Amino acid sequence: DTEVTQTPKHLVMGMTNKKSLKCEQHMGHRAMYWYKQKAKKPPELMFVYSYEKLSINESVPSRFSPECPNSSLLNLHLHALQPEDSALYLCASSQDRRDTEAFFGQGTRLTVV
Amino acid sequence: GENVEQHPSTLSVQEGDSAVIKCTYSDSASNYFPWYKQELGKRPQLIIDIRSNVGEKKDQRIAVTLNKTAKHFSLHITETQPEDSAVYFCAASKTGGFKTIFGAGTRLFVKA
């Protein structure tokens, strides 16, 4: 299984809502990532988990809250988002060394209204 | 920190022609250079990668070259086909760094 699975595929939420994005992989990878991608831009790193511990937080606003319940799952909790947070949110995973291939999920298209 | 520059931002070629995309990086410690292809509405997918101990790597119609001294690497696509049309991202990272720095992307159009 070389898949990273993200749910939901699409999400529309109001600025007062609380929602969660989910990501799952069964490749035994110990590093998992959240990226944000705006249209016509490269993926922008948000968070990195290594062995279920948060390793990198790229100064992301606290309205985004990551969680890694176990080595296969990664969540991103969303609360009080702004319209400018609308984007494609990509999850990825890799072996623990960061010079190996990262597998991306298909992403969640988020629209904040 | 690392910075990756990518050129051109848009590239249009005729089917069957070759396409070349160039990237430069700033951190001499970077030692892994993947290339991702992203079709419209889809996930980035690795198409080829190269490590700093190798100067060139080829996989069918795709090749990547690396010049460590000049800190630049290039993607070469030969005999382009319409299905090669996509956005291509170069990237750089280093062992244990956990950060992959992406170039801004090149939108490739292959005209039939």
Side-chain angles (χ1 to χ4, degrees):
Chain A
D1 184 0
T2 57
E3 284 282 318
V4 176
T5 304
Q6 287 187 244
T7 55
K9 289 189 171 58
H10 301 275
L11 178 62
V12 179
M13 61 185 290
M15 289 188 282
T16 58
N17 291 160
K18 283 186 182 180
K19 297 285 184 183
S20 296
L21 309 184
K22 296 185 184 300
C23 175
E24 189 169 2
Q25 58 86 16
H26 296 287
M27 294 179 278
H29 289 171
R30 303 312 297 268
M32 296 186 76
Y33 312 79
W34 280 115
Y35 286 88
K36 173 182 178 181
Q37 188 177 28
K38 300 283 261 184
K40 300 184 180 181
K41 297 288 186 182
E44 182 183 332
L45 185 65
M46 300 174 71
F47 302 104
V48 180
Y49 273 83
S50 175
Y51 290 87
E52 297 97 73
K53 292 193 187 322
L54 184 64
S55 296
I56 295 177
N57 176 341
E58 289 290 279
S59 303
V60 179
S62 59
R63 57 186 184 268
F64 295 91
S65 175
E67 179 196 18
C68 190
N70 59 55
S71 60
S72 300
L73 294 175
L74 186 66
N75 299 323
L76 186 63
H77 303 297
L78 314 172
H79 173 53
L81 295 193
Q82 303 297 310
E84 59 265 29
D85 296 321
S86 298
L88 180 69
Y89 287 84
L90 292 160
C91 173
S93 71
S94 70
Q95 295 178 24
D96 55 359
R97 287 187 309 119
R98 192 55 191 101
D99 61 345
T100 58
E101 179 179 355
F103 290 82
F104 282 88
Q106 80 278 20
T108 294
R109 176 76 57 190
L110 174 68
T111 303
V112 181
V113 297
Chain B
E2 175 68 284
N3 182 49
V4 177
E5 294 192 0
Q6 183 172 348
H7 299 279
S9 57
T10 306
L11 179 59
S12 185
V13 300
Q14 204 66 38
E15 182 178 3
D17 287 351
S18 295
V20 180
I21 302 171
K22 298 183 179 183
C23 290
T24 59
Y25 61 98
S26 59
D27 187 348
S28 56
S30 291
N31 58 4
Y32 177 64
F33 306 93
W35 286 87
Y36 288 90
K37 175 184 180 182
Q38 188 173 26
E39 296 177 46
L40 191 62
K42 297 195 174 179
R43 74 185 81 189
Q45 288 198 288
L46 183 80
I47 55 170
I48 196 167
D49 57 9
I50 192 166
R51 300 181 193 282
S52 58
N53 58 348
V54 176
E56 185 173 357
K57 185 176 178 181
K58 193 172 181 181
D59 182 4
Q60 299 182 336
R61 296 187 297 109
I62 295 172
V64 59
T65 58
L66 171 65
N67 183 328
K68 282 191 297 182
T69 304
K71 289 191 277 188
H72 66 71
F73 55 114
S74 301
L75 178 71
H76 304 253
I77 307 174
T78 58
E79 300 170 28
T80 53
Q81 300 166 3
E83 50 265 38
D84 294 329
S85 298
V87 178
Y88 291 80
F89 293 102
C90 64
S93 67
K94 53 189 175 185
T95 305
F98 287 108
K99 274 193 183 185
T100 292
I101 306 301
F102 286 85
T106 296
R107 188 168 295 275
L108 175 64
F109 297 96
V110 180
K111 296 176 286 187

